[in-house]
Amino acid sequence: MCSQNGFDFLKDIVINGLSGFIGGLLTAVVSVTLLLWQLKASQKTTNFSNLLKLKELFNLDRNWNTFRYFLEENVSEPENSTVYEYLGLYELAYEMWKENQISDYEFFNMYSYRINSFASKKRIVQMIKSEPLVWEKLVELILINNEWGYKHKRIDYKSYIYVKKLYK
């Protein structure tokens, strides 16, 4: 009788311990799932915040107007620092894209047409070729954008080959 009570006691410990273990395991799984979901939501919020800030920087009148002025070949050169800042924004956007802070869709649909508009401009090509180490990332971006544009029928074959030859 005593051994039967001892056996019941051990059985209760094992069953209660096992159910406690399973309950703890389920709690841990639920907690980890919620944590991962929260991290993903936080990452999306950060990505949107970064994207909005980047759009704000690109849309500053001073940057765009100076850059457009720079692209005109019949005018004197504006202050280079502003042009460098503007082109540097593309490098920043490119780094954000490489780090998955901006999706392919966001990056190429928002910036590809702008890159196409300046990639073959004589002044930009001259500036980049005069300081190739400074503009390494920009050249890489131009070539990737050129491939994407051709693949997605945003640029024709002639433009694609022209830009490819300019930067190779």
Side-chain angles (χ1 to χ4, degrees):
M1 187 102 178
C2 186
S3 65
Q4 183 65 28
N5 284 340
F7 180 71
D8 287 341
F9 176 72
L10 287 175
K11 186 174 150 185
D12 285 344
I13 289 176
V14 169
I15 290 173
N16 289 336
L18 188 58
S19 66
F21 172 76
I22 291 172
L25 185 61
L26 287 174
T27 301
V29 168
V30 168
S31 295
V32 168
T33 302
L34 287 173
L35 175 66
L36 292 174
W37 178 77
Q38 190 174 20
L39 285 173
K40 188 174 180 177
S42 175
Q43 183 65 36
K44 281 184 178 182
T45 301
T46 301
N47 288 357
F48 286 130
S49 175
N50 290 340
L51 193 57
L52 288 172
K53 184 62 177 171
L54 194 58
K55 282 184 77 167
E56 180 183 305
L57 290 171
F58 267 111
N59 291 328
L60 288 175
D61 285 340
R62 184 183 120 227
N63 284 341
W64 176 241
N65 287 334
T66 302
F67 190 69
R68 279 189 8 226
Y69 179 78
F70 178 77
L71 291 178
E72 298 297 322
E73 294 184 27
N74 58 347
V75 295
S76 62
E77 215 166 291
E79 185 181 326
N80 273 349
S81 64
T82 305
V83 174
Y84 279 39
E85 282 176 30
Y86 190 75
L87 290 174
L89 288 175
Y90 288 97
E91 292 179 325
L92 175 63
Y94 177 52
E95 288 299 316
M96 291 173 71
W97 172 70
K98 282 182 12 182
E99 295 296 323
N100 295 316
Q101 295 293 314
I102 302 175
S103 72
D104 290 357
Y105 177 83
E106 292 163 333
F107 182 78
F108 289 109
N109 282 300
M110 288 172 52
Y111 304 113
S112 183
Y113 75 95
R114 290 183 182 196
I115 296 166
N116 290 338
S117 75
F118 72 74
S120 61
K121 297 289 186 188
K122 187 177 180 180
R123 288 185 111 169
I124 297 295
V125 174
Q126 288 171 343
M127 187 183 81
I128 289 172
K129 296 232 180 212
S130 72
E131 297 180 280
L133 295 177
V134 171
W135 299 110
E136 242 178 300
K137 286 182 185 173
L138 187 62
V139 170
E140 190 177 315
L141 169 59
I142 289 168
L143 291 171
I144 287 172
N145 182 69
N146 194 44
E147 294 290 330
W148 184 89
Y150 181 66
K151 180 180 175 187
H152 291 88
K153 298 178 173 63
R154 302 281 175 99
I155 58 173
D156 61 24
Y157 183 73
K158 184 178 175 183
S159 300
Y160 166 73
I161 293 299
Y162 180 71
V163 169
K164 197 170 183 172
K165 284 181 180 177
L166 278 175
Y167 292 100
K168 282 290 178 172

